[in-house]
Amino acid sequence: MTTDAIAFFLDRYGLTTGDLDALLGEALAAGGDYADLYFEYCRTNALTLEERLIKTANRSVAQGVGVRVIAGEKTGYAYTDDISPASIRQAARTAACIAQAAQSVGPVAVTPQAKVHDLYPQTETGDDPPIERKIELLKDIDERCYAADRRIQKVQASLTDEWKVVMVATSEGVLAGDIQPLARVGVVCIADQDGELRAGRAGGGGRRGFGMFTEGELAPEALAREAVRLAVLQFDAVEAPAGPMEVVLGHGWPGILLHEAIGHGLEADFNRKKTSAFSDLLGQRVASDACTIVDDGTLPGRRGSLNMDDEGHPTSCTVLIEKGILRGYINDYLNARLLGVPRTGNGRRESYRHIPMPRMTNTYMLAGTETPEDIIRSVKRGLYAVQFGGGQVDITSGKFVFSASEAYLIEDGRITAPVKDATLIGHGPDALTKVTAVGCDMELDLGVGTCGKDGQSVPVGVGLPTIKISEMTVGGTQR
């Protein structure tokens, strides 16, 4: 957290801490247990290159304040895009009317909080290089894709970056702020072989400077090479097998299956309402003893990391499952209070227009001791899933279906032919109990994840070591 963010709002909009105290008092005028003000200023740039031309170039600024009042389990929420005491006061009165209660807290006096994390660069104006440099990056990716393989017929490259400043004031006296940079680059290649079209995708980013796109796996040559590889790989793919079999998940992005099939079910609101497959299972075995899963919002520079959550509470590393035993849920202020447990710093929202709720940050499984090579060698017949596309999950039942965008047959301990159109079908808690090997190669994704919940989207990270699941249903055509 940083006082620079607090000064940004107080100086820019002519506010004082006394104004914040008065506005919080207004929010609690009709009664309530708690109130907070969420201030946001967000500058976003977006570029898209297609057909070797810049097709779109957008720059936007959004600003506003959300006011929340909590009374028991009832929440009142209102927002305004006019950051002035009069407009915020009206929003506070609206939220108060929604959540009015018989009693309220006493006078409020907010105090700036001490800095807890410093996970990403924070500057007064943000790292915003000239647009010419951004266009040059996209053109470099574009040219490298076409040059890599004559079958590439279409390339779309995109770059989005934002500089967000947030400030949270609460009726408990907390005044916290943060400056949050975020950038992401993506590329999609369409390859054509005798009329058959296949797509390959690559991308990544994080909460770091523009320099992250000049080296390593996010450099233009690496992104182009990966997108082209995935596109043309599918021309040699055989039909996917079908039926129950051993499945090996590769490291990194396959953690998206963990995020969707297990992570959402460990969010506190679903468990408080008893709508999760993991409800009432704290302290019980829900996975094999090889599985330890955490949600960690404190990893420097990662897409899912934050110095503080959107309620002004420092993020943390929360152990969800420890050696197969369910240890806890991720929560926000409301659900932690109602469940009587400590906050984990996972209260997140898409913008000031949205109410916060428990959301993941960077969710991953800790590394084991086995090598990926040994895990592959242990499989007689199975599927090796390296990359995933879309999927569907039912939080209540725990059932999921995921499509594998890159997968291979494993035959007699060897990776053989690539397969196409493979899907993985399973049940979250059940799948975890069948994890029989965990690799030593845990890796986080490159920074492409966006999580949706109740109409809100937030950036997240996922991670996984190579793991073996003794049995999972694979949907395909080959039997």
Side-chain angles (χ1 to χ4, degrees):
M1 290 179 281
T2 171
T3 55
D4 291 341
I6 296 172
F8 175 90
F9 284 103
L10 298 186
D11 296 344
R12 187 183 186 95
Y13 300 101
L15 298 168
T16 66
T17 55
D19 292 329
L20 302 179
D21 297 342
L23 291 167
L24 288 166
E26 193 77 44
L28 292 169
D33 308 316
Y34 171 89
D36 61 23
L37 310 173
Y38 174 81
F39 291 75
E40 178 184 83
Y41 174 94
C42 185
R43 184 189 66 217
T44 304
N45 302 300
L47 285 171
T48 302
L49 183 148
E50 191 173 347
E51 297 176 343
R52 303 200 170 187
L53 299 171
I54 295 296
K55 286 296 184 74
T56 63
N58 299 313
R59 183 181 179 91
S60 62
V61 174
Q63 63 179 28
V65 183
V67 184
R68 177 174 61 159
V69 179
I70 296 175
E73 296 188 26
K74 186 168 54 175
T75 298
Y77 194 77
Y79 66 87
T80 175
D81 57 9
D82 178 9
I83 303 181
S84 68
S87 294
I88 302 171
R89 187 175 300 111
Q90 184 59 46
R93 290 170 177 169
T94 301
C97 288
I98 298 171
Q100 56 185 308
Q103 62 180 20
S104 64
V105 299
V108 177
V110 296
T111 303
Q113 302 299 293
K115 183 177 180 179
V116 175
H117 300 311
D118 188 11
L119 304 175
Y120 32 79
Q122 299 181 14
T123 62
E124 190 172 342
T125 59
D127 178 17
D128 191 11
I131 190 171
E132 291 81 8
R133 187 179 172 197
K134 298 177 182 180
I135 292 174
E136 181 183 346
L137 172 69
L138 296 183
K139 286 185 174 180
D140 192 3
I141 295 172
D142 182 74
E143 291 170 1
R144 290 176 185 275
C145 288
Y146 282 113
D149 196 291
R150 59 178 178 78
R151 291 170 290 183
I152 299 300
Q153 298 298 308
K154 185 176 181 180
V155 177
Q156 183 185 75
S158 61
L159 172 65
T160 303
D161 63 87
E162 70 177 35
W163 185 72
K164 181 189 291 187
V165 189
V166 299
M167 180 177 75
V168 179
T170 80
S171 59
E172 294 181 338
V174 171
L175 179 59
D178 195 21
I179 299 175
Q180 301 168 348
L182 182 66
R184 171 180 166 176
V185 67
V187 56
V188 180
C189 289
I190 306 296
D192 183 345
Q193 179 171 290
D194 301 326
E196 180 183 358
L197 301 179
R198 290 289 178 172
R201 294 174 171 81
R207 299 188 184 278
R208 292 172 284 158
F210 193 77
M212 66 178 158
F213 300 125
T214 62
E215 58 185 22
E217 294 177 289
L218 297 182
E221 58 269 29
L223 293 172
R225 182 171 59 249
E226 180 67 1
V228 171
R229 183 188 71 82
L230 291 174
V232 302
L233 171 75
Q234 298 170 70
F235 293 132
D236 299 321
V238 300
E239 297 293 335
M245 66 187 69
E246 287 184 298
V247 172
V248 176
L249 302 182
H251 66 178
W253 179 243
I256 188 64
L257 189 147
L258 192 72
H259 169 103
E260 295 287 359
I262 292 100
H264 278 297
L266 298 179
E267 291 169 338
D269 50 350
F270 294 129
N271 289 278
R272 179 175 64 82
K273 298 172 184 177
K274 311 296 184 185
T275 58
S276 168
F278 292 94
S279 297
D280 298 322
L281 295 181
L282 280 176
Q284 299 185 35
R285 179 167 296 282
V286 296
S288 77
D289 58 11
C291 297
T292 295
I293 298 168
V294 303
D295 183 86
D296 190 353
T298 69
L299 303 175
R302 302 301 307 185
R303 179 172 169 83
S305 296
L306 292 167
N307 288 322
M308 67 179 206
D309 69 4
D310 295 327
E311 299 177 309
H313 192 78
T315 53
S316 64
C317 180
T318 303
V319 177
L320 302 174
I321 296 173
E322 182 180 29
K323 295 183 179 179
I325 306 299
L326 181 59
R327 294 301 186 191
Y329 305 124
I330 60 174
N331 58 61
D332 59 353
Y333 172 85
L334 175 63
N335 288 281
R337 183 170 64 85
L338 293 175
L339 290 171
V341 297
R343 294 165 70 176
T344 61
N346 288 88
R348 304 190 64 189
R349 64 182 101 199
E350 181 176 325
S351 75
Y352 68 90
R353 297 182 177 91
H354 302 86
I355 195 167
M357 63 181 78
R359 304 294 298 272
M360 285 173 276
T361 55
N362 303 295
T363 309
Y364 56 95
M365 182 182 292
L366 298 191
T369 59
E370 301 196 40
T371 68
E373 295 77 14
D374 285 343
I375 292 175
I376 295 295
R377 277 194 289 267
S378 71
V379 177
K380 177 70 174 177
R381 175 183 176 273
L383 187 79
Y384 178 41
V386 183
Q387 297 287 347
F388 283 95
Q392 294 180 329
V393 179
D394 186 310
I395 300 298
T396 302
S397 69
K399 295 179 179 179
F400 63 82
V401 178
F402 277 89
S403 62
S405 57
E406 181 184 5
Y408 302 85
L409 293 175
I410 304 177
E411 299 173 293
D412 294 323
R414 294 172 50 249
I415 297 172
T416 57
V419 301
K420 56 187 174 182
D421 304 325
T423 58
L424 298 183
I425 304 165
H427 176 261
D430 182 58
L432 287 180
T433 65
K434 296 178 179 179
V435 174
T436 56
V438 177
C440 58
D441 59 339
M442 201 294 289
E443 184 174 285
L444 293 166
D445 75 293
L446 291 180
V448 297
T450 298
C451 174
K453 177 180 176 181
D454 290 351
Q456 295 191 43
S457 295
V458 296
V460 296
V462 300
L464 195 70
T466 299
I467 66 171
K468 182 173 77 171
I469 300 173
S470 61
E471 183 179 282
M472 183 178 288
T473 299
V474 176
T477 56
Q478 179 185 345
R479 290 185 179 275

